[in-house]
Amino acid sequence: MSNKPSTPAVELQASDLPAHCPNPAMPLWSSHPRVYLDLSHGDSATCSYCGTVYKLAPGTVLKAH
């Protein structure tokens, strides 16, 4: 059995941060409570509710606040 996600990762730009799930493109019927995803310690994060993987687009630079 493969560990690959069944759907491709959602690619985020710096303008999409702070990242959260569900994202605006998800249908209403698949909604769950909004959770914010921490991408500051790596290039990807997984939603604890639905398993959607979010990753930073290549070349995206995170700026410190």
Side-chain angles (χ1 to χ4, degrees):
M1 180 171 230
S2 174
N3 287 336
K4 286 184 176 182
S6 59
T7 57
V10 176
E11 203 168 74
L12 302 172
Q13 302 292 330
S15 61
D16 298 320
L17 301 177
H20 60 82
C21 190
N23 67 61
M26 291 180 159
L28 186 59
W29 63 264
S30 68
S31 289
H32 55 69
R34 180 178 282 190
V35 291
Y36 287 90
L37 306 163
D38 183 9
L39 295 165
S40 64
H41 300 296
D43 63 348
S44 68
T46 303
C47 175
S48 58
Y49 280 98
C50 67
T52 300
V53 177
Y54 293 83
K55 69 176 189 173
L56 294 174
T60 301
V61 177
L62 298 179
K63 295 183 180 182
H65 295 285

